[in-house]
Amino acid sequence: VAPMSIFQPVTQVRMTNVAVVRLKRKGKRFEVACYRNKVVSWRSGAEKDLDEVLQVENVFSNVSKGIVANKKDLVSAFGTEDVRKVILEILAKGEVQVSDKERTHQSDKLFQEIATIVADKCVDPKTQRPFPVTMIERVMRETLHYTVIPSRSAKQQALDVIKQLKQHMEIQRAQMRINLTTPSKNGKQVKAKLEDVVSEWESEEFSASIYETTFLADPGRFRQIDELVKAETRGQGTVEIVNIAVVQEGLERLE
């Protein structure tokens, strides 16, 4: 039996479990084989060592088939045959290729993250208790038929989901507990202006020089409250978030 060759052409390198960064130029594609998660670290500046990013220090025309790019093509497209310079440009400007399986996994993970944020931020207005994450996921999937947008953050999408959920179920943002301090001369005026945005006044105290109160309000109103207090007190009032409160029968959960 003839011995099995252990050699393969130098232009072919087989690799598995790689993240591919692809850049198309002059009608040809150029690819770099990287370790997963390292491309993001490299681009953010967290990873400085190129050797930690690359699986192989070479430029390919097709990573999955292991075909190394032609040097003439490198010169034509990048003006150099310096592989390291080309790799740096591909890493900076190229597009990270994601497999269908990986894309599905990322999509599922983002979906769960959005549902978790919604559950953390919202309550049932009748009971003032939070909803289980599994319930939010089910409504997102079965009622909203929600499809995640990979380019948007989970927080941004969670706010959109909350708006959509309000059209189908009783749900409201968990209230924010806020502590307000103003000079006593501004106290009554500030309180009157806040009546429309405050859900519940929890405590208040007037002294000769200071008016202090704690109240609950929708988190989306915080900026409005802060700006109003600054305007009415000419910057002398302070507004502080104590916590996000979900309260029911003595049970309190702090965010």
Side-chain angles (χ1 to χ4, degrees):
V1 180
M4 186 180 291
S5 172
I6 60 169
F7 297 103
Q8 55 184 351
V10 291
T11 54
Q12 285 210 323
V13 183
R14 297 285 180 187
M15 280 172 290
T16 57
N17 195 30
V18 298
V20 176
V21 182
R22 179 184 298 163
L23 184 64
K24 289 184 179 178
R25 187 171 286 182
K26 293 283 181 79
K28 295 185 181 293
R29 73 180 190 184
F30 301 91
E31 299 180 343
V32 176
C34 306
Y35 288 102
R36 297 192 181 283
N37 304 322
K38 287 294 185 178
V39 179
V40 175
S41 300
W42 174 264
R43 287 178 168 176
S44 69
E47 179 59 68
K48 307 285 188 187
D49 188 350
L50 189 59
D51 293 335
E52 291 293 317
V53 181
L54 302 175
Q55 291 222 3
V56 175
E57 189 173 332
N58 216 336
V59 179
F60 298 81
S61 57
N62 189 316
V63 165
S64 62
K65 293 181 179 178
I67 303 172
V68 177
N70 186 301
K71 284 200 173 183
K72 286 182 181 177
D73 291 340
L74 294 185
V75 175
S76 172
F78 298 94
T80 180
E81 61 177 47
D82 185 325
V83 169
R84 202 170 182 88
K85 283 183 180 177
V86 174
I87 286 172
L88 290 173
E89 188 162 349
I90 293 171
L91 281 176
K93 300 175 181 176
E95 187 177 321
V96 182
Q97 306 302 299
V98 181
S99 69
D100 290 343
K101 185 178 179 182
E102 190 175 355
R103 190 177 287 110
T104 300
H105 172 71
Q106 290 176 352
S107 179
D108 289 346
K109 187 177 176 185
L110 183 55
F111 189 93
Q112 290 171 349
E113 195 176 343
I114 293 166
T116 301
I117 293 172
V118 172
D120 282 345
K121 287 183 176 291
C122 295
V123 293
D124 181 334
K126 292 177 182 174
T127 64
Q128 289 299 304
R129 294 291 301 275
F131 292 99
V133 176
T134 50
M135 179 185 172
I136 298 295
E137 283 186 3
R138 190 173 70 249
V139 178
M140 283 172 64
R141 193 172 284 115
E142 297 175 6
T143 306
L144 301 184
H145 305 293
Y146 191 78
T147 304
V148 301
I149 305 166
S151 60
R152 298 189 69 208
S153 73
K155 186 175 180 180
Q156 287 175 321
Q157 293 186 73
L159 295 175
D160 288 341
V161 168
I162 292 169
K163 289 176 186 174
Q164 293 180 42
L165 287 174
K166 285 180 178 178
Q167 298 171 16
H168 300 278
M169 62 188 285
E170 292 287 318
I171 186 171
Q172 71 178 38
R173 291 284 296 272
Q175 299 294 286
M176 179 179 283
R177 181 172 285 119
I178 296 171
N179 183 259
L180 163 66
T181 306
T182 75
S184 56
K185 63 182 180 181
N186 303 118
K188 287 184 179 179
Q189 189 178 352
V190 169
K191 184 180 179 183
K193 288 278 181 86
L194 290 176
E195 285 290 357
D196 290 341
V197 296
V198 170
S199 306
E200 180 186 339
W201 299 97
E202 290 194 328
S203 67
E204 63 178 338
E205 185 178 334
F206 272 102
S207 70
S209 58
I210 288 174
Y211 167 66
E212 185 172 2
T213 180
T214 301
F215 58 85
L216 300 179
D218 188 297
R221 299 281 199 169
F222 180 77
R223 183 178 293 178
Q224 180 185 350
I225 293 168
D226 190 43
E227 289 174 355
L228 187 149
V229 171
K230 281 178 181 172
E232 292 294 325
T233 66
R234 294 185 179 179
Q236 292 183 297
T238 59
V239 179
E240 296 177 354
I241 299 169
V242 181
N243 55 49
I244 303 290
V246 182
V247 185
Q248 168 67 12
E249 299 171 349
L251 173 69
E252 184 167 292
R253 186 182 72 177
L254 304 185
E255 307 288 327

